[in-house]
Amino acid sequence: MPPLTSIKTSGDDIEIVNQLLLPHVIEYVQIETVEEAHDAIKTMKIRGAPAIASLAALSLSSQLSRGLKASPPPDYLASTDALKEHVERILDYFFTARPTAVNLGAAIRRLRATLLKSLDANKSTRDICQNLINEGWKVSDEDVGRNKEMSRRGGEWLRQRVREDHAKVEVVNVLTVCNTGSLATSGYGTALGLITYLHESGKLGTAFFTQSAPYHQGSRLTAMELQELKIPSIMICDTMVGSLFQSHVIHGVVVGADRIARNGDTANKIGTYNAAVLAARHNIPFIVVAPTTTIDLDIPDGTHIPIEHRPAIEACLVRGAIYPIQSHEDAKHAVVMITPPGLEGVYNPSFDVTPAELITAIVTENGVAVKNPGMRGFDLSEIA
Ligand SMILES: CSC[C@H]1O[C@H](OP(=O)(O)O)[C@H](O)[C@@H]1O
């Protein structure tokens, strides 16, 4: 079976696989409106920094494309002022879906720039819509090629680094956190793309991955993708990273990112910082793999990255993140005593920030950045 895709399109129709149900149920749901797209992002039916940016962009393109074919035409086509107000309201609305991943914000800024540029050029409302439709499609279409390029660059860098550190090693063992494959992007993936590249090159030993509780991106999504790709893999619980490093030869830790600050501090799935501290303790290279749209040059360091805190209940359920809990019967699936509908006393940040000093290399489609000797931070200007 080919790798699952996060988003499927046919003309103006958009479907996403409901990732809350994977791997037990593969169910594609129609995304008919921007409201449904926003809900899918916020409730994590779709997740992954690049994938949520693609869905937001495609959803706007789909709505505007349908509007151009509608009869009578929608009110927002009556004037450029009406169209500007309509599009900017949608872009502002998408911005509220999830705060940490900057790719969504980058896509929104890109579409807003397309709108303003078209307005400045005195384009007709129909031409402005067509420009936005085209740009929205490009946001999604660019992702796969970009992922393959960064995966190749990162894979070759890691192979060279391993040759330097371990003279006779032919294949490398890596650990990854969360899910960064086709389900988190428009295809191929970022950190999981690098792992796929190594496997396709015959240079991968074993890919270890963490369960990534509480949403379980690892045990539910990465496990599924690695099995579909026939990549040798071993799952570990989040608490086992230190034991793994003590008992196995791991040549690199390879993770994705949701936002990278100007100095290289990186926000990624909760548990990434733990793995970085342990990798430093064991002298294991720690590599971040992400598209340039993940780099936020507007913030100097990781203290400025907003960290999303998810609903407490999501950290309390044995099964995926399906809720709300509406009865005591439902509550039997919870790992703690729940008094529906609410819950106090749970700390559930969805991301953490790994300081640049713990990161060995940052890989984008433009290249690989390493820190200058003696520097705690990165100069990302060459790869941003
Ligand atoms: C391609 S990187 C995706 C990035 O997004 C994930 O977070 P979430 O599943 O909550 O959207 C995780 O941080 C991954 O590294």
Side-chain angles (χ1 to χ4, degrees), residues 333-361:
H333 295 277
V335 292
V336 293
M337 184 61 203
I338 292 215
T339 51
L343 192 89
E344 302 302 323
V346 173
Y347 175 67
N348 186 21
S350 195
F351 302 95
D352 57 27
V353 176
T354 298
E357 65 188 286
L358 295 177
I359 299 172
T360 313

Side-chain angles (χ1 to χ4, degrees), residues 187-267:
Y188 202 75
T190 57
L192 209 54
L194 185 155
I195 291 169
T196 303
Y197 173 83
L198 287 174
H199 176 66
E200 290 170 344
S201 310
K203 299 300 180 187
L204 180 74
T206 301
F208 294 83
F209 62 99
T210 65
Q211 290 182 333
S212 310
Y215 184 96
H216 281 268
Q217 288 91 338
S219 49
R220 296 192 299 115
L221 309 179
T222 297
M224 189 175 193
E225 289 187 330
L226 289 171
Q227 285 167 28
E228 282 172 0
L229 291 163
K230 296 184 174 37
I231 292 177
S233 57
I234 293 176
M235 182 183 78
I236 66 171
C237 297
D238 301 321
T239 50
M240 299 172 185
V241 172
S243 170
L244 177 73
F245 291 169
Q246 286 178 321
S247 57
H248 290 67
V249 176
I250 305 296
H251 300 101
V253 179
V254 184
V255 298
D258 292 82
R259 191 182 299 236
I260 303 171
R262 191 164 64 235
N263 73 338
D265 290 352
T266 294

